[in-house]
């Protein structure tokens, strides 16, 4: 009975519970839910509604991405079909604090260039910096290892805020990317941060001023303000402010077909290590940097007709460029049209004025779509031609030529000093506008050459016989060097009476050759490797002709020197010296301005010493010099050839007679008595000591030893050179002649340098230390013997001091 009662009780309780639950549900108007299966709360979405963020107050710009400004917040709408696409992010300073960077930074200076990709990781969008230094084809297994061992850094991560209406794009807030101190986007290098004692970025004084989206790029301007203990200007503010420009440019989905670099033709390059190569090693692939030029009419191009490119190279002139110089800047740009015609293109490069605000309010020189020639208000004396390129292929995307205002002064000064003897119009501080314009034109051409992909070619000046530079017909046809990319600025060889010669450089035959080699369209080649036989054939056709050689400049090749002209350094420097001996006594007259002081005279006199130093240095390179001519294994001849013994002996004779002797022609009293109370002795001493140090460089002496070991009697021996130098520097002693102040200083320097060579070789003794010690002992003996022949006075004191100095140096070992 007890069990039956318990069952009935449980049934009554269950009925009561169900009845209560049903009544409660009906009261709320909801379907009853079993007590054993309670309703689950709906999970809250981590994303907001698009319309809650991009409100009617948003300012939106459509293009590569949609960009939105909502109050003080900025958003990118990142399309999913552009995730993992390669984009080039270029950072520039668009407005700069005075003095920042020490003169070689300016409004427009590039501070970083990197490939980036946007990617989605769960509920975040990542921005990665991508490197193409190490590569392999995606189809190869080794690509897995290349990817694992070259993991790309994440520059920034952004939570997805919302999706657009059709869920094809993610909305992210990017304000922090441009308002935080991100090194990848900052205008301050680590060195500048240390130099100016930068403490931190002040977020309250930093802001985004512009965000614009175009079909292929997004442009952002943002001001960054840093707290700094020692700013470069406005010191009491303790602040550095700058406006940065960020250009994000969509790179082609299929990169341009690259062209393989050949060191026999000079080009700027990109470099990749290809782990997918069939070579039995990781294969270094080097490609030239060039613009993508393809003919509008391939059939006409194939017939040899000049054809316009689909996309010509266009340079805009900075609106800040003075009106009177604009025609010369345009000429400097479009001078390259002739070179491109050699490659089959007409109107391949064009100069345009920048549009006005009314014509195009969005135009900006920092915009990745535009290449410009920037005119910078700066005391810096220089011009540069940088460019931005696709690291996958070497395709140049855009470039900005920089002309610094005070570069005019450099060219005026050099024009006066190097050509004034033979060129009457150069004998003034007020150089005729047309001639200054011609110089500017050629500087712009030189910098555009860099922006087209061409580096300096210092071997081009050696292509022309020195005496040909005195010929009007030769120089007017061929210029001063085989390329504008040499540092052959002026014709300092031309002598008074050489009528009609050209004094200023211009483009030459090498420029047409290099542009054809780098830019000619080769449709029959389906890969960079397929092009190689054709490119090699073009080089072989010019073999043996010095006009088509390339040399980037080095310390051992006299045919590849900066600022040189002609194929004979001794002859060219003799001509140059003859001209300077005319300029020096006329310098006061040519630089005097009534009512003005002597600041210009002082500046030009200092530069005159510099010009003479360069002339002398060209001759020094002959000593222990080696010609370098790049070759491939299928070519005859050798890459390195020592300079002939006779040329080195002649060079040593020139140095003793014209460089290490006291330059009385330089010591013009009318100049020295007007530019300072003293300093001539120190200036001349410094010049001669630098040149002597250059002559006694250890690497030069080592080449002489090696040349003797390989070529025996045909070589100019180290011991012979040191003996010839000693006989020249100490020639007064044998005839008991007066030893003037300049000479005494140079003799002391000679002893110190020989002792330095001996000390330098202390641990690993070579023939250099032995020869240096022998020279010191010989000079010591000469000084001891000669000192007794001189009467008491400075000459005797000097020689006794030399004796004591050498003794102390020898005893230090």
């Amino acid at each position: 009975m007890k069990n039956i009662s318990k069952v009935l009780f449980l049934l009554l309780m269950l009925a009561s519970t169900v009845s209560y639950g049903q009544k409660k549900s009906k009261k709320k108007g909801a379907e009853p839910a079993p007590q054993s299966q309670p309703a689950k709360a709906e999970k809250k979405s981590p994303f907001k509604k698009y319309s809650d963020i991009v409100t009617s107050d948003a300012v939106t710009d459509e293009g590569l991405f949609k960009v939105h400004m909502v109050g003080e917040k900025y958003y990118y709408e990142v399309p999913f079909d552009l995730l993992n696409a390669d984009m080039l992010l270029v950072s520039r300073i668009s407005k700069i604090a005075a003095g920042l960077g020490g003169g070689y930074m300016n409004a427009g200076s590039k501070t970083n260039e990197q490939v980036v990709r946007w990617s989605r990781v769960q509920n975040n969008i990542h921005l990665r910096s991508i490197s193409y230094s190490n590569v392999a084809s995606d189809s190869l297994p080794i690509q897995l290892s290349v990817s694992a061992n070259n993991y790309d850094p994440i520059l920034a991560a952004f939570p997805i805020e919302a999706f657009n209406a059709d869920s094809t794009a993610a909305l992210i807030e990017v304000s922090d990317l441009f308002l935080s101190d991100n090194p990848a986007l900052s205008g301050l290098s680590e060195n500048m941060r240390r130099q100016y004692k930068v403490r931190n970025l002040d977020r309250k004084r930093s802001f985004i001023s512009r965000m614009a989206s175009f079909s292929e790029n997004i442009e952002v301007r943002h001001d960054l303000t840093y707290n700094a203990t020692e700013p470069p200007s406005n010191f009491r503010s303790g602040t550095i402010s700058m406006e940065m420009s960020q250009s994000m440019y969509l790179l082609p989905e299929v990169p341009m077909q690259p062209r393989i670099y050949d060191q026999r033709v000079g080009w700027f390059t990109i470099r990749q290590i290809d782990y997918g190569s069939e070579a039995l090693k990781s294969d270094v692939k080097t490609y030239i940097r060039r613009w993508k030029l393809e003919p509008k009419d391939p059939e006409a191009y194939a017939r040899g007709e000049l054809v316009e490119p689909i996309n010509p190279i266009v340079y805009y002139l900075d609106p800040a460029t003075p009106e009177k110089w604009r025609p010369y800047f345009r000429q400097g740009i479009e001078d390259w049209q002739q070179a491109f015609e050699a490659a089959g293109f007409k109107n391949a490069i064009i100069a345009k004025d920048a549009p006005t605000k009314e014509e195009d309010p969005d135009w900006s020189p920092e915009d990745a779509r535009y290449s410009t020639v920037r005119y910078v208000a700066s005391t810096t004396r220089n011009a540069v031609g940088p460019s931005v390129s696709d690291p996958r292929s070497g395709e140049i995307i855009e470039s900005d030529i920089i002309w610094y205002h005070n570069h005019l002064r450099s060219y005026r000064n050099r024009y006066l000093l190097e050509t004034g003897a033979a060129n009457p119009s150069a004998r003034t501080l007020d150089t005729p506008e047309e001639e200054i314009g011609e110089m500017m034109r050629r500087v712009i051409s030189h910098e555009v050459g860099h922006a087209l992909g061409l580096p300096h070619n210092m071997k081009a000046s050696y292509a022309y016989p020195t005496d040909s530079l005195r010929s009007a017909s030769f120089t007017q046809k061929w210029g001063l060097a085989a390329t504008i990319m040499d540092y052959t600025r002026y014709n300092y060889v031309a002598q008074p009476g050489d009528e009609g010669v050209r004094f200023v450089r211009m483009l030459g035959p090498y420029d047409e050759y290099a542009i054809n080699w780098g830019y000619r369209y080769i449709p029959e080649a389906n890969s960079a490797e397929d092009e190689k036989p054709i490119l090699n054939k073009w080089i072989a056709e010019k073999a043996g002709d010095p006009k088509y050689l390339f040399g980037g400049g080095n310390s051992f090749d006299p045919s590849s020197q900066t600022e040189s002209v002609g194929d004979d350094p001794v002859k060219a420097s003799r001509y140059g010296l003859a001209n300077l001996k005319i300029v020096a006594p006329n310098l006061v007259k040519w630089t005097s301005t009534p009512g003005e002081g002597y600041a210009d005279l002082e500046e030009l006199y200092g530069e005159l010493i510099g010009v003479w130093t360069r002339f002398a240095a060209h001759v020094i390179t002959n000593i222990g010099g080696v010609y370098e001519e790049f070759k491939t294994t299928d070519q005859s001849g050798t890459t390195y050839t020592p300079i002939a013994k006779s040329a080195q002996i002649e060079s040593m004779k020139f140095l003793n007679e014209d460089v290490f002797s006291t330059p009385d022609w330089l010591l013009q009293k009318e100049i020295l008595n007007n530019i300072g109370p003293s300093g001539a002795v120190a200036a001349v001493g410094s010049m001669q000591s630098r040149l002597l140090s250059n002559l006694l460089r250890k690497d030069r002496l080592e080449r002489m030893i090696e040349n003797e070991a390989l070529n025996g009697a045909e070589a100019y021996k180290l011991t012979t050179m040191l003996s010839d130098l000693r006989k020249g520097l100490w020639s007064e002693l044998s005839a008991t002649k007066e030893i003037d102040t300049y000479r005494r200083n140079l003799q002391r320097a000679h002893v110190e340098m020989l002792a330095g060579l001996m000390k330098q070789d202390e641990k690993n003794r070579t023939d250099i230390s032995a020869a240096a010690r022998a020279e010191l002992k010989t000079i010591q003996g000469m000084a001891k013997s000669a000192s007794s022949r001189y009467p008491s006075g400075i000459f005797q004191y000097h020689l006794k001091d030399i004796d004591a100095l050498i003794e102390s140096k020898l005893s230090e070992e």
Side-chain angles (χ1 to χ4, degrees):
M1 287 292 295
K2 282 184 179 180
N3 290 335
I4 294 173
S5 298
K6 286 180 180 179
V7 170
L8 289 173
F9 177 75
L10 289 171
L11 289 172
L12 287 172
M13 289 296 294
L14 180 61
S16 174
T17 302
V18 171
S19 174
Y20 176 78
Q22 287 175 339
K23 287 178 182 177
K24 189 173 182 180
S25 298
K26 285 178 181 177
K27 188 175 181 181
K28 288 196 172 186
E31 290 296 322
Q35 183 70 17
S36 59
Q37 296 180 352
K40 292 183 180 179
E42 185 178 345
K43 188 176 181 182
K44 186 178 180 181
S45 171
F47 309 114
K48 300 176 184 176
K49 288 184 178 179
Y50 183 89
S51 58
D52 288 345
I53 298 174
V54 185
T55 65
S56 58
D57 294 329
V59 178
T60 299
D61 199 15
E62 297 195 28
L64 182 66
F65 294 0
K66 280 186 180 179
V67 298
H68 309 279
M69 180 179 70
V70 185
E72 294 184 354
K73 294 184 177 182
Y74 289 82
Y75 296 87
Y76 279 178
E77 200 168 304
V78 183
F80 292 146
D81 62 359
L82 287 178
L83 291 178
N84 299 310
D86 284 340
M87 300 182 185
L88 196 62
L89 180 59
V90 182
S91 303
R92 297 186 187 276
I93 301 175
S94 50
K95 292 181 181 178
I96 190 169
L100 186 72
Y104 281 90
M105 292 187 72
N106 53 268
S109 286
K110 180 177 66 177
T111 59
N112 199 11
E113 175 184 339
Q114 58 190 319
V115 174
V116 297
R117 285 182 193 157
W118 299 88
S119 60
R120 181 176 178 179
V121 179
Q122 297 176 353
N123 292 337
N124 293 281
I125 297 293
H126 288 181
L127 179 65
R128 286 185 181 271
S129 180
I130 307 299
S131 171
Y132 277 92
S133 296
N134 300 289
V135 298
S137 172
D138 290 341
S139 63
L140 297 175
I142 198 171
Q143 168 57 24
L144 296 171
S145 180
V146 171
S147 178
N149 287 283
N150 296 273
Y151 196 52
D152 298 309
I154 299 172
L155 296 180
F158 310 89
I160 296 174
E161 304 278 347
F163 299 97
N164 64 350
D166 58 1
S167 296
T168 59
L171 191 68
I172 59 173
E173 187 192 346
V174 294
S175 307
D176 282 348
L177 178 63
F178 304 108
L179 296 178
S180 59
D181 194 8
N182 190 325
L185 277 67
S186 169
L188 292 180
S189 66
E190 286 302 315
N191 285 339
M192 285 191 284
R193 290 169 188 265
R194 288 192 292 269
Q195 179 182 355
Y196 304 128
K197 293 183 170 54
V198 174
R199 297 192 301 278
N200 62 299
L201 176 75
D202 188 341
R203 177 75 177 245
K204 293 180 180 178
R205 291 184 287 164
S206 301
F207 56 91
I208 299 169
S209 56
R210 178 177 185 249
M211 190 174 285
S213 189
F214 303 96
S215 60
E216 294 182 329
N217 58 301
I218 295 175
E219 302 295 323
V220 178
R221 294 281 190 93
H222 55 121
D223 281 51
L224 299 176
T225 295
Y226 294 88
N227 292 306
T229 304
E230 297 181 8
S233 54
N234 299 297
F235 308 110
R236 298 186 69 177
S237 69
T239 295
I240 299 173
S241 290
M242 62 176 67
E243 183 183 73
M244 294 297 299
S245 168
Q246 309 293 342
S247 295
M248 189 176 69
Y249 184 93
L250 179 64
L251 291 172
E253 185 175 351
V254 178
M256 176 187 76
Q257 181 171 295
R259 183 156 292 181
I260 295 173
Y261 169 67
D262 190 309
Q263 64 179 345
R264 295 171 294 175
V265 187
W267 283 87
F268 290 128
T269 62
I270 62 164
R271 182 176 176 272
Q272 298 175 350
I273 298 177
D274 184 0
Y275 286 91
S277 170
E278 290 298 321
L280 300 178
K281 61 178 181 178
S282 55
D283 198 7
V284 176
K285 296 288 181 66
T286 306
Y287 303 117
I288 69 172
R289 295 176 58 187
R290 58 183 180 141
W291 299 79
K292 184 178 181 179
L293 292 186
E294 295 180 337
K296 285 182 179 179
D297 186 343
E299 293 180 0
Y301 187 90
R303 293 193 299 268
E305 299 175 26
L306 291 179
V307 176
E308 291 187 342
I310 296 171
N311 295 307
I313 302 164
V314 179
Y315 276 97
Y316 292 90
L317 300 188
D318 190 336
T321 308
E323 288 286 348
K324 66 180 179 179
W325 303 132
R326 293 186 184 192
Y328 301 106
F329 278 34
R330 291 189 193 96
Q331 285 179 310
I333 295 166
E334 295 185 349
D335 278 340
W336 284 96
Q337 288 187 356
Q338 182 176 339
F340 277 106
E341 287 177 3
F345 293 103
K346 66 179 179 181
N347 300 323
I349 183 166
I350 300 167
K352 291 184 178 182
D353 285 329
T356 64
K357 287 291 183 185
E358 292 72 25
E359 291 169 333
D360 185 354
D362 289 324
W363 190 91
S364 166
E366 283 83 33
D367 192 322
R369 295 172 296 168
Y370 306 120
S371 295
T372 59
V373 178
R374 304 289 294 263
Y375 197 101
V376 177
S378 168
T379 58
T380 299
R381 298 188 185 185
N382 202 6
V384 293
S387 61
V388 173
S389 62
D390 184 343
R392 305 170 303 172
S393 65
E395 179 186 356
I396 296 174
I397 305 299
E398 64 92 32
S399 80
D400 289 286
I401 310 300
I402 309 296
W403 171 276
Y404 296 96
H405 178 73
N406 261 26
H407 208 31
L408 288 167
R409 192 179 187 96
S410 296
Y411 275 82
R412 178 204 67 182
N413 290 359
R414 293 279 296 275
Y415 193 52
L416 185 154
L417 296 171
E418 295 185 25
T419 77
N423 180 14
S425 64
R427 300 167 186 169
T428 176
L429 295 178
D430 190 17
T431 311
E433 183 177 307
E434 184 178 347
E435 294 179 40
I436 282 288
E438 172 69 6
M439 297 173 212
M440 295 177 77
R441 168 188 178 181
R442 302 306 175 175
V443 176
I444 294 299
S445 287
H446 179 93
E447 301 307 336
V448 169
H450 285 321
L452 296 175
L454 302 180
H456 292 133
N457 180 6
M458 301 308 181
K459 199 174 278 285
S461 55
Y462 212 78
Y464 295 162
T466 301
D467 279 325
S468 294
L469 299 175
R470 299 186 62 186
S471 164
S473 59
F474 183 91
T475 56
Q476 295 298 344
K477 178 180 180 180
W478 297 101
L480 311 184
T483 175
I484 193 76
M485 303 313 297
D486 202 325
Y487 265 0
T488 302
R489 304 177 202 272
Y490 295 116
N491 184 355
Y492 60 77
V493 161
Q495 298 295 293
D498 293 345
E499 298 293 334
V501 296
R502 183 174 183 83
F503 289 105
V504 180
R505 60 184 170 171
M506 67 183 201
L507 271 75
Y510 176 86
D511 298 310
E512 296 183 9
Y513 163 70
I515 290 296
N516 177 72
W517 191 90
Y519 280 98
R520 180 163 285 278
Y521 184 59
I522 310 177
E524 63 270 29
N526 295 318
S527 69
E529 290 291 338
D530 288 347
E531 290 185 344
K532 284 186 70 174
I534 299 169
L535 298 172
N536 190 58
K537 177 175 175 288
W538 293 344
I539 296 173
E541 290 172 351
K542 304 297 185 183
D545 191 330
K547 293 193 296 296
Y548 304 106
L549 294 178
F550 172 74
N554 56 52
S555 63
F556 59 80
D557 183 354
S559 71
S560 191
Q561 298 300 297
T562 63
E563 315 285 353
S564 64
V565 296
D567 65 350
D568 186 334
V570 175
K571 183 181 286 188
S573 293
R574 280 203 174 105
Y575 280 134
L577 175 58
N579 283 335
L580 292 182
K581 287 181 177 180
I582 295 171
V583 171
N586 285 288
L587 202 55
V588 174
K589 180 173 65 175
W590 294 350
T591 62
S592 294
T593 303
E596 298 291 337
Y598 291 98
D600 286 317
L601 176 64
E602 182 177 3
E603 178 181 307
L604 277 153
Y605 183 70
E607 291 190 26
L608 176 65
I609 294 175
V611 169
W612 171 229
T613 302
R614 284 193 294 272
F615 293 171
H618 296 154
V619 178
I620 289 174
T621 309
N622 269 350
I623 309 296
V626 177
Y627 293 125
E628 178 183 62
E629 183 179 340
F630 299 124
K631 292 179 178 292
T632 53
T633 55
D634 56 321
Q635 289 182 290
S636 61
T638 58
T639 303
Y640 297 101
T641 306
I643 308 301
K645 178 180 179 180
S646 59
Q648 296 191 57
I649 291 172
E650 183 188 10
S651 298
M652 196 67 235
K653 183 173 181 290
F654 174 85
L655 294 173
N656 276 327
E657 292 177 355
D658 292 304
V659 176
F660 298 136
S661 60
T662 299
D664 294 319
W665 63 272
L666 197 54
L667 303 171
Q668 300 290 322
K669 290 183 179 179
E670 191 178 5
I671 296 175
L672 299 176
N673 291 339
N674 281 305
I675 65 174
S678 63
V681 172
V684 172
S686 176
M687 175 193 74
Q688 291 185 320
S689 291
R690 288 198 308 274
L691 292 168
L692 181 60
S693 177
N694 186 356
L695 177 64
L696 295 175
R697 278 175 45 170
K698 188 177 180 184
D699 63 323
R700 186 185 314 283
L701 307 184
E702 287 172 340
R703 288 195 299 275
M704 297 185 78
I705 292 170
E706 185 165 332
N707 186 18
E708 181 183 354
L710 293 174
N711 298 296
E714 295 180 11
Y716 185 43
K717 297 180 180 179
L718 168 64
T719 53
T720 305
M721 185 275 283
L722 292 176
S723 175
D724 290 344
L725 176 62
R726 170 176 30 86
K727 291 173 184 176
L729 290 182
W730 301 85
S731 60
E732 295 89 346
L733 274 59
S734 60
T736 321
K737 291 181 180 179
E738 291 188 359
I739 313 169
D740 65 35
T741 302
Y742 305 97
R743 194 69 158 177
R744 296 196 298 271
N745 285 340
L746 188 57
Q747 289 172 350
R748 291 188 194 99
H750 185 212
V751 169
E752 292 285 357
M753 290 175 197
L754 288 171
L757 287 171
M758 188 176 65
K759 188 80 173 174
Q760 203 174 13
D761 258 16
E762 199 170 52
K763 292 183 179 178
N764 300 298
R765 291 187 181 276
T766 68
D767 289 347
I768 294 175
S769 58
R773 182 179 293 99
E775 282 297 308
L776 285 173
K777 287 184 173 292
T778 300
I779 293 168
Q780 185 180 34
M782 291 169 60
K784 280 181 178 179
S785 174
S787 64
S788 61
R789 299 197 302 270
Y790 283 90
S792 179
I794 192 61
F795 305 139
Q796 187 183 87
Y797 303 157
H798 166 66
L799 293 175
K800 288 184 175 180
D801 184 57
I802 290 293
D803 177 18
L805 177 62
I806 294 174
E807 187 63 35
S808 69
K809 296 295 183 183
L810 293 172
S811 65
E812 286 177 3
E813 288 198 285

